[in-house]
Amino acid sequence: MKMKFFELIAKMKTSKKTAGFTMIELLIVIAILGILAVAVLSAINPVEQINRGRDTGSRSDAEQLISAIDRYNAFQGYYPWQNGSSDDAYEVAWITDWDGDGIFMNNDSTCEVKDLLGAGNDISCVGSNELKVTFFSRIHGAGYNYLKVYHGPNASDSTYVCFEPKSDAFKTEAATRVTAPAVTPADYPPLAIGNTTDCGTGGNCVCLP
């Protein structure tokens, strides 16, 4: 009877030892979980994802603005910064930070381009309603990644709308477009290349089209 009692005690001790984890095992598991967490966060990179979302929004706005300018030109026969079809001054050198302070006027300084593309402001500046007021409120807002408009001196030149890329993915895209073997269009905005002041640390703006 006494022998069976001691055997039972021994079995209980053995079962206690095998039922749980040792401190070393727990530390190893915690270390592995920590490594996995770091790897997942590195892969996801939340800051990069936020910046990429912001850049995607800027691209969408740039596409809308270019489309509005092209529609205005197709309907009116001239660009919104020109003073009519007889005005041969096509060039928009580089409208930097088209916000509330960087006002974009037409060539004779009578109307803002945003009024001509939008709802207008009075009889002298009749709007085409190509873009809503909310669009301009958004792109003029504080903290917005401001759009930059460029058009070369020739009638055949394309209209470009550019912005400073914030995400690594868009910085790479901007660099790829202007780096050999890519062929940069002859009418491409010169200030969109190697310009850290307007295009950020990468030096190259994302330009559409």
Side-chain angles (χ1 to χ4, degrees):
M1 186 71 178
K2 186 182 291 185
M3 190 66 178
K4 288 184 178 180
F5 175 77
F6 285 115
E7 287 177 355
L8 180 61
I9 295 296
K11 287 182 179 180
M12 290 176 64
K13 288 182 178 180
T14 303
S15 64
K16 285 182 179 180
K17 288 182 180 179
T18 57
F21 293 103
T22 65
M23 182 62 70
I24 294 176
E25 289 171 334
L26 286 173
L27 290 174
I28 291 173
V29 171
I30 291 171
I32 292 173
L33 290 175
I35 293 170
L36 289 174
V38 171
V40 169
L41 285 175
S42 298
I44 296 175
N45 193 347
V47 174
E48 171 70 7
Q49 296 302 321
I50 291 171
N51 287 336
R52 187 179 297 186
R54 187 178 181 186
D55 286 342
T56 300
S58 296
R59 182 199 293 278
S60 177
D61 288 339
E63 289 172 345
Q64 290 185 62
L65 183 54
I66 287 178
S67 295
I69 291 172
D70 287 343
R71 288 194 302 269
Y72 186 98
N73 181 42
F75 184 76
Q76 301 290 345
Y78 54 91
Y79 289 103
W81 52 83
Q82 292 179 286
N83 301 325
S85 57
S86 61
D87 184 359
D88 60 359
Y90 297 97
E91 187 171 11
V92 177
W94 184 256
I95 298 299
T96 305
D97 295 354
W98 189 8
D99 57 5
D101 298 322
I103 296 173
F104 184 5
M105 302 294 293
N106 64 350
N107 288 343
D108 64 1
S109 299
T110 56
C111 297
E112 287 191 54
V113 170
K114 72 178 181 64
D115 291 328
L116 297 173
L117 290 175
N121 64 358
D122 55 36
I123 296 176
S124 62
C125 298
V126 179
S128 61
N129 290 307
E130 294 290 349
L131 293 168
K132 296 181 179 179
V133 174
T134 53
F135 175 85
F136 291 104
S137 297
R138 182 171 69 255
I139 70 170
H140 293 172
Y144 181 81
N145 194 9
Y146 297 126
L147 304 178
K148 310 172 197 321
V149 180
Y150 174 84
H151 191 285
N154 305 307
S156 59
D157 290 342
S158 298
T159 301
Y160 291 89
V161 177
C162 309
F163 61 90
E164 174 190 341
K166 301 295 185 181
S167 66
D168 291 338
F170 276 69
K171 288 177 183 178
T172 300
E173 175 188 321
T176 300
R177 185 172 186 182
V178 298
T179 304
V183 178
T184 305
D187 61 357
Y188 197 77
L191 287 175
I193 305 173
N195 180 0
T196 55
T197 300
D198 293 328
C199 300
T201 55
N204 301 305
C205 281
V206 173
C207 293
L208 280 75

